[in-house]
């Protein structure tokens, strides 16, 4: 494809394979390094594979390959995967997507832009691709094709995310809960949340609120021990995250810093019989108990809102069956939302993201065209460089002659004119080569150019 | 200078509309370029318009709020300037299309109504009165912004109550922010109104002492004038609202309904006072000779002429 090398991807993703298959295809970081080593070892004896970049996330495992032209990428990959003990056959089964050349690169560009993600536009994939790229560069410098392709993919991803709104708006229920609450309270840090129930769903939602700097979180559960355990877990997590984020440290130093900082005092637990009082102190109520009957009743909320002076109370019922009595929604300044509302927000945001696809595709097309041009030119680049060197050499001789015989000013003038001349000659030559009717014809032109201006011939002269 | 003024006078409505378009672009697309440019563009337009007004004032030797076109222009720049202060304090730009749209329409109206030559009040040459008129304009502009944000609060609260997650849900700032924008506007309007009233009182006593004042007007100059009394009521009402918000925790829907009701009362009350009560603000029998620095370029002040700045 590149004249000397060709580019390929073999991919197993959420679009092509169920979770069980994706789990089997997953490559850990150590396994990825082994694969790169195996292919690199192969390259030493049989120079077929130029470079490989494996990308493995929870939703996909993709292997990007750059091999010498004419080499069979599947045979090379199969051998390497077998050498490291991975289930190589999966990458050649009906669960795998196999793309070559520009199609493989287009897939990479779309992937970096979040267009191939399960949640359209999700940003995590960019970090995962960068990590894979960093790992590959740390072990074996990728070939020019993959290097250029990944750099182009990151550029395309950045453009798509900044020039379109493909990554805006919550597309998960937990994040939609935060987004919805922010329609009431912009500065969450000045407000208090109450989590009713200590289950997994509630904990997940609570973590999202804590990540968005909610000012205070109270956990209330029928079993006070469970509420206290969850509060302690969240306190510990937050404390760790805050220290690591503030000081950018990990390990023992972070543990020491955590000990100095103390637990995150924003998070507390209260017993079940204080639920009413806890509601009175909260601005955001998340209810996720497994109770079969409503646990938050109108009288309880009516009493709680009495002293709020009209400040809205945002209540989110994400329990099935519902925790909040339907009549609570009739109380003034109390806004009750359920799972179906969050789902509507998510669907609305996804639709808005989908509307951005044509714009994103246009941007990817522009970046891809640039890569395509680079790819087109790569086989003629060494010859053209040689031709340029020859012209530059002639120019320098001529300028030196003028400088010796005449003046520096005249030599500089000649230098400027010849620079322009070389630029035009090279531009015309590149254009003629690009517009060749066939690849064979272009190769013939290149051969002629090499023959006329090659270094060996000049040295012989 | 005249040519430059003419060019700027033609250019200003176009610039206002361009700023409006920028804010609209931001509202519909949230494009980063629109976000970066809208406030700066609005700021440039305000500065430019203020510059034009200063030049015009110097050329006419009076406050350039005498004709309908001038008054509309002054209202537009006051609205845009006040809005920019609120926007800067709250960092919320997505409501800008409403205020800049209103300002743009005012400028457009100013461009199509009669440009000048109408009877203008000689009082506009009096610095005391001019200061009073400017403060009144700014105060009521701020209060109108408070009204606008209170309405937006109620609209968004209604959308949330009805679970409508459309464009307004996605683009309008949080209820908390809208409420703060409304309160910030009142916090600006109340002291401005106080200053306007204080300056108005001082100027009134000064006017009463001037020789040759028409006896009808001299008799009418009183601090118990219905318009002044109603203005004090407005001032006290809004001040009470601010105290309630700050010290008694008045928040939410009730607070915003109060803000809407207050402004509606202001508009209706002022209209009623102006049309149904005797008020010296109609300035019967006033002519240029009664003004300290009688340099007005308009003809003699008509007995029943209404000061556009006081509407």
């Amino acid at each position: 494809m590149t004249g000397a090398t060709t580019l390929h991807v073999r991919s197993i993703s959420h679009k092509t394979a169920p979770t069980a298959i994706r789990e089997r295809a997953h490559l850990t970081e150590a396994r990825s390094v082994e694969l790169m080593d195996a292919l690199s070892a192969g390259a030493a004896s049989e120079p077929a594979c130029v470079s490989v970049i494996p990308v493995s996330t929870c939703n996909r495992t993709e292997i990007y390959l750059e091999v010498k032209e004419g080499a069979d990428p599947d045979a090379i990959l199969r051998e390497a995967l077998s050498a490291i003990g991975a289930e190589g056959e999966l990458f050649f089964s009906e669960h795998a997507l196999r793309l070559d050349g520009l199609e493989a690169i287009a897939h990479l560009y779309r992937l970096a832009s979040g267009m191939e993600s399960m949640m359209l536009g999700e940003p995590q994939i960019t970090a995962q691709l960068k990590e894979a790229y960093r790992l590959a560069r740390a072990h074996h410098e990728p070939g020019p094709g993959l290097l250029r392709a990944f750099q182009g993919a990151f550029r395309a991803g950045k453009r798509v995310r900044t020039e379109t709104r493909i990554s805006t708006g919550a597309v998960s229920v937990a994040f939609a809960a935060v987004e919805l609450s922010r329609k009431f309270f912009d500065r969450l840090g000045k407000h208090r949340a109450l989590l009713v129930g200590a289950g997994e769903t509630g904990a997940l939602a609570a973590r999202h609120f804590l990540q968005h700097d909610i000012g205070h979180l109270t956990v209330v559960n029928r079993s006070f021990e469970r509420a206290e355990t969850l509060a302690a877990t969240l306190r510990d997590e937050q404390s760790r995250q805050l220290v690591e984020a503030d000081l950018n440290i990990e390990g023992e130093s972070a543990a020491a810093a955590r000990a100095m900082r103390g637990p995150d005092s924003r998070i507390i637990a209260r017993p079940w019989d204080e639920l009413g009082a806890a509601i009175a102190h909260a601005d955001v109520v998340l209810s996720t108990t497994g109770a079969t009957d409503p646990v938050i009743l109108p009288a309880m909320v009516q009493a709680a809102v009495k002293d709020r002076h009209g400040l809205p109370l945002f209540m989110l019922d994400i329990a099935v069956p519902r925790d909040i009595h339907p009549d609570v929604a009739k109380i003034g300044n109390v806004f009750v939302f359920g799972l179906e509302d969050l789902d509507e927000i998510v669907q609305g945001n996804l639709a808005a993201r989908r509307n951005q696809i044509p714009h994103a595709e246009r941007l990817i097309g522009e970046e891809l065209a640039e890569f395509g041009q680079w790819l087109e030119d790569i086989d003629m680049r060494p010859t053209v460089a040689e031709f340029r060197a020859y012209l530059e050499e002639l120019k320098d001789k001529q300028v030196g002659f003028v400088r010796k015989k005449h003046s520096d000013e005249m030599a500089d003038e000649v230098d400027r004119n010849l620079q322009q001349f070389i630029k035009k000659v090279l531009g015309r030559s590149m254009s003629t080569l690009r517009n060749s009717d066939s690849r064979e014809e272009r190769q013939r032109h290149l051969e002629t150019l090499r023959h006329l201006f090659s270094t060996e011939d000049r040295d012989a002269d | 200078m005249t040519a430059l003024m003419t060019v700027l006078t033609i250019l200003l409505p176009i610039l206002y509309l361009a700023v409006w378009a920028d804010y609209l672009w931001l509202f519909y697309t949230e494009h980063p370029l629109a976000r970066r440019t809208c406030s700066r563009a609005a700021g440039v337009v305000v500065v430019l318009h203020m510059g034009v007004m200063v030049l015009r004032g110097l050329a006419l030797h009076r406050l350039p709020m005498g004709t309908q076109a001038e008054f509309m222009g002054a209202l537009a720049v006051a609205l845009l300037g006040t809005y920019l202060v609120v926007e800067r304090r709250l960092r919320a730009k997505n409501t800008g299309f409403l205020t800049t749209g209103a300002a743009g329409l005012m400028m457009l109206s100013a461009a199509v109504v009669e440009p000048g030559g109408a009877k203008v009040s000689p009082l506009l040459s009096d610095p005391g009165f001019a200061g009073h008129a400017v403060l009144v304009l700014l105060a009521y502009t701020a209060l109108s912004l408070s009204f606008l944000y209170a309405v937006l609060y109620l609209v968004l609260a209604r959308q949330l109550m009805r679970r409508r997650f459309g464009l307004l849900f996605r683009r309008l700032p949080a209820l908390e922010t809208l409420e703060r924008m409304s309160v910030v506007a009142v916090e600006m309007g109340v002291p401005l109104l106080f200053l306007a009233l204080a300056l108005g009182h001082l100027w009134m006593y000064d006017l009463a002492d001037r020789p040759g004042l028409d006896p009808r007007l001299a008799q009418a100059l009183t601090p118990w004038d219905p318009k002044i009394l109603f203005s004090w009521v407005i001032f006290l009402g809004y001040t009470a609202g601010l105290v309630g918000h700050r010290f008694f925790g008045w928040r939410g829907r009730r607070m915003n309904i109060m803000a809407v009701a207050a402004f509606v009362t202001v508009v209706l009350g002022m209209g009623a006072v102006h049309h149904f009560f005797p008020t010296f603000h109609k300035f019967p029998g006033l002519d240029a000779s009664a003004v300290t620095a009688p340099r007005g370029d308009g003809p003699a002040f008509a007995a029943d002429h209404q000061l556009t700045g006081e509407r």
Side-chain angles (χ1 to χ4, degrees), chain A residues 52-353:
Chain A
V52 59
I53 301 184
V55 179
S56 200
T57 72
C58 52
N59 279 332
R60 66 185 65 249
T61 296
E62 301 195 337
I63 301 172
Y64 290 87
L65 281 169
E66 184 174 3
V67 301
K68 293 276 183 196
E69 195 172 36
D72 179 1
D74 287 344
I76 295 167
L77 188 60
R78 189 177 272 123
E79 191 183 334
L81 286 168
S82 150
I84 64 165
E87 291 198 51
E89 284 311 313
L90 288 175
F91 289 90
F92 310 102
S93 68
E94 75 275 15
H95 297 298
L97 178 73
R98 299 156 70 188
L99 297 169
D100 305 300
L102 260 188
E103 279 189 344
I105 306 310
H107 174 80
L108 175 63
Y109 279 33
R110 288 172 55 82
L111 183 65
S113 308
M115 307 268 287
E116 293 288 329
S117 299
M118 192 180 268
M119 284 297 178
L120 182 66
E122 65 92 13
Q124 225 178 350
I125 188 67
T126 309
Q128 289 163 336
L129 272 178
K130 283 186 175 167
E131 181 53 29
Y133 177 70
R134 187 198 59 76
L135 190 70
R137 290 200 75 173
H139 285 80
H140 302 282
E141 183 66 11
L146 275 189
L147 207 59
R148 181 88 181 192
F150 269 75
Q151 285 165 354
F154 297 141
R155 197 170 47 246
K158 190 175 177 186
R159 278 193 72 192
V160 167
R161 283 176 215 288
T162 53
E163 294 179 32
T164 74
R165 285 183 292 115
I166 205 153
S167 297
T168 56
V171 287
S172 72
V173 167
F175 189 27
V178 176
E179 188 175 286
L180 186 54
S181 73
R182 293 188 92 152
K183 277 293 147 192
F184 292 85
F185 311 110
D186 194 29
R187 300 173 297 174
L188 282 179
K190 291 188 178 293
H191 295 278
R192 305 164 74 94
L194 166 67
L195 174 64
V196 186
E200 272 304 306
T201 317
L204 181 67
R207 281 188 184 96
H208 269 79
F209 274 93
L210 288 165
Q211 276 166 18
H212 286 84
D213 296 325
I214 188 79
H216 193 273
L217 176 76
T218 304
V219 183
V220 173
N221 193 53
R222 276 193 201 278
S223 154
F224 181 65
E225 287 71 31
R226 284 194 65 195
E228 187 52 59
T229 306
L230 176 60
T233 308
L234 293 172
R235 271 197 298 268
D236 188 47
E237 282 175 13
Q238 290 306 306
S239 169
R240 190 181 324 127
Q241 283 169 14
L242 286 172
V243 166
E244 285 170 9
D246 285 359
L247 307 176
N248 197 21
I249 51 172
E250 291 174 7
E252 283 180 20
S253 314
R258 274 206 303 280
M260 279 176 67
R261 180 192 277 266
D264 189 339
S265 58
R266 290 183 300 163
I267 307 157
I268 60 160
R270 290 179 78 167
W272 184 255
D273 53 11
E274 290 182 16
L275 178 60
I279 293 173
H281 284 100
D283 301 308
V284 175
V285 177
L286 303 167
S287 196
T288 64
T289 74
T292 48
D293 293 315
V295 293
I296 298 176
L297 304 170
M300 196 184 274
V301 179
Q302 194 83 55
V305 299
K306 202 179 284 176
D307 296 326
R308 293 180 65 84
H309 302 288
L311 186 68
L313 176 61
F314 168 69
M315 302 185 87
L316 190 57
D317 189 348
I318 41 181
V320 180
R322 292 184 180 205
D323 279 346
I324 300 175
H325 193 282
D327 287 349
V328 170
K330 294 175 186 164
I331 300 170
N333 288 313
V334 177
F335 296 79
V336 183
F337 297 92
L339 266 176
E340 65 282 4
D341 300 313
L342 296 183
D343 189 52
E344 195 180 330
I345 291 169
V346 167
Q347 293 310 320
N349 287 339
L350 278 173
R353 287 185 179 202

Side-chain angles (χ1 to χ4, degrees), chain B residues 202-217:
Chain B
L202 292 173
W203 178 81
M204 180 189 74
Y205 290 123
D206 179 59
L207 182 68
D209 289 342
R210 291 179 197 175
L213 191 68
D214 187 291
R216 282 179 298 156
L217 178 58

